[in-house]
Structure formats: C-alpha cells, structure tokens
Amino acid sequence: MAEVLAAACPVVAVQVQDSNYYNQNSNKMKKSVIIIIAILAVIILFGVTTYNSLVGREEGVNTAWSQVENQYQRRADLIPNLVNTVKGYAAHESSTLEAVIQARSQATQIRIDPENLTPEALQEYQRAQANVSSALGRLLAVAESYPDLKANQNFLELQAQLESTENRIAVERKRFNEAAQSYNSYIRSFPRNIFAGLFGFERRPYFEAEAGAERAPTVEF
C-alpha cells in the first residue's frame, strides 16, 4: 500500500522520508544532550566534593599549625617566671639571662598566617624557636652551679612545666607533619591535582626539627 502510495504520490513519500530522518536525528541529538548533561553533572559533583575535601584537609593543617603555635606560646609564657626565679639566685649570670629574654622576644615577634605557610617562613620560625631552646638549655645548665636554686620549689615546678611543654611541642609538630603529609598527598593525586590547581590549593611545608630539638632541655638533679 505504501509502495502504491509512494508511486502514486512521490511528493508524499519524500515528506515521509524527511520526517523519519528528522525524527531519527532529533532522537540522536536528545541522547547526545542527555549524555553531555550527565557528564557535566558528574564533573560538577566530583568538583564540589573534591573542593569540600580540599577545604577540610586544609583546615586540618591550619588547626594543627595553630596547636604548634599554642605550645610554643605556652613555653614563651613560662620563660619570664623562670628567668626571674634564676635571677634571684644568680643575678650575675646576666649574659645568660639576657640571651633567653632576647631569644624569646625575637621568637614571639614571628607570627605566621597558616594560609601563607611557606618553606621560607617556616624555616625562619624554626630558627627563632631553636634559638629559644638553645638559650633555655644554657639557662638551665646554670642551675647546676646553684644548689639552692636547684632545690627551689618554684624552679622545680617551672622546670617540670617547661619539660611538659617541650614534649607537647614535639607531639604537636608530629601531628602537624602528619596533617601536612595527608593534605599534600591528597592535592597531588590525579585528578584532584587539577582541581587543587584551579582553586589555588598549594603544598604545605613540613616541620623539620633540628638534631636534638625534639628533646626538652633538662637538668639532672
């Protein structure tokens, strides 16, 4: 019947063929659009999820760094009382006392925004804190020559607090390094590195303690 109609009405046959061709192309275009939309939706969803994860891990590094600073500040807060206590028994050890005060002053002036924690900034911070540790070590060594100072209850309590703080510093440095390592590994893995680059997430440096810096300065009684 269709052949008879086509033979009788060639114009109608052409129109029917054109209509079928149009419908086929239209269906193909719809499928292509749906596929493209689905792919874009997956990319956007992955991008949002990755971005949120990047933010969360970055905040983890920032929090870990703030804990490191808190412990260093706690040590800095102990130093004035420690210096005054030693001064009461060894006032003539002025150079040693002044060295501690100066090292503390220089260290407390260095404040680092965790968002801008560059290797250079971290190295400067480490050097300043290492100078404090070295000066404290010399100050505590002075106590060896003053039995009355070594027996002073206030000095003993301050020394115990200082040792506890040094241990806390070591713990927080370790936690910071772990957080930084996790974050750095995350932003370097593919395809997260693409999104990290697009959103400006950069690697964080590690806290590399100098030899012996992880040990609290102690005095043997």
Side-chain angles (χ1 to χ4, degrees):
M1 183 67 181
E3 293 177 355
V4 174
L5 182 61
C9 303
V11 176
V12 174
V14 171
Q15 291 177 345
V16 170
Q17 291 176 354
D18 288 345
S19 178
N20 291 335
Y21 179 77
Y22 174 79
N23 290 335
Q24 290 177 355
N25 284 342
S26 179
N27 290 334
K28 289 181 180 179
M29 289 181 63
K30 289 180 180 179
K31 290 180 180 179
S32 298
V33 170
I34 291 174
I35 292 173
I36 292 173
I37 292 175
I39 293 174
L40 290 175
V42 171
I43 294 174
I44 292 173
L45 180 61
F46 179 79
V48 171
T49 302
T50 301
Y51 178 81
N52 291 337
S53 297
L54 287 167
V55 171
R57 289 175 182 265
E58 185 179 51
E59 285 302 314
V61 177
N62 294 345
T63 299
W65 175 253
S66 68
Q67 290 302 316
V68 171
E69 286 194 315
N70 287 342
Q71 295 308 319
Y72 274 125
Q73 184 60 50
R74 185 173 186 272
R75 181 175 73 171
D77 293 341
L78 291 172
I79 290 176
N81 287 337
L82 181 64
V83 169
N84 287 334
T85 299
V86 174
K87 185 185 296 184
Y89 292 85
H92 60 282
E93 301 282 356
S94 58
S95 59
T96 302
L97 296 169
E98 289 174 1
V100 175
I101 295 173
Q102 183 177 4
R104 176 189 181 276
S105 176
Q106 292 175 346
T108 54
Q109 289 176 7
I110 301 176
R111 305 296 297 178
I112 299 178
D113 180 0
E115 297 291 343
N116 298 313
L117 187 59
T118 63
E120 295 76 16
L122 184 56
Q123 288 176 5
E124 181 184 8
Y125 186 85
Q126 287 181 230
R127 283 195 296 269
Q129 297 299 341
N131 289 338
V132 175
S133 297
S134 178
L136 279 173
R138 293 192 297 271
L139 177 65
L140 293 176
V142 166
E144 290 294 323
S145 302
Y146 300 91
D148 291 341
L149 172 61
K150 291 167 60 176
N152 179 271
Q153 187 61 36
N154 188 40
F155 176 78
L156 292 175
E157 292 178 357
L158 287 170
Q159 189 213 13
Q161 292 182 47
L162 182 61
E163 290 178 350
S164 174
T165 301
E166 292 286 351
N167 291 332
R168 292 183 185 182
I169 289 172
V171 170
E172 296 303 338
R173 283 197 299 246
K174 181 175 182 295
R175 289 176 178 173
F176 168 78
N177 279 348
E178 291 172 349
Q181 182 181 31
S182 175
Y183 168 80
N184 290 339
S185 298
Y186 189 81
I187 68 172
R188 292 179 63 193
S189 62
F190 181 83
R192 299 187 188 96
N193 59 338
I194 297 176
F195 290 93
L198 289 174
F199 296 128
F201 290 90
E202 299 179 351
R203 294 185 62 185
R204 298 298 182 89
Y206 298 112
F207 196 106
E208 299 178 357
E210 297 178 1
E214 73 283 357
R215 294 191 297 273
T218 58
V219 176
E220 297 295 336
F221 294 100

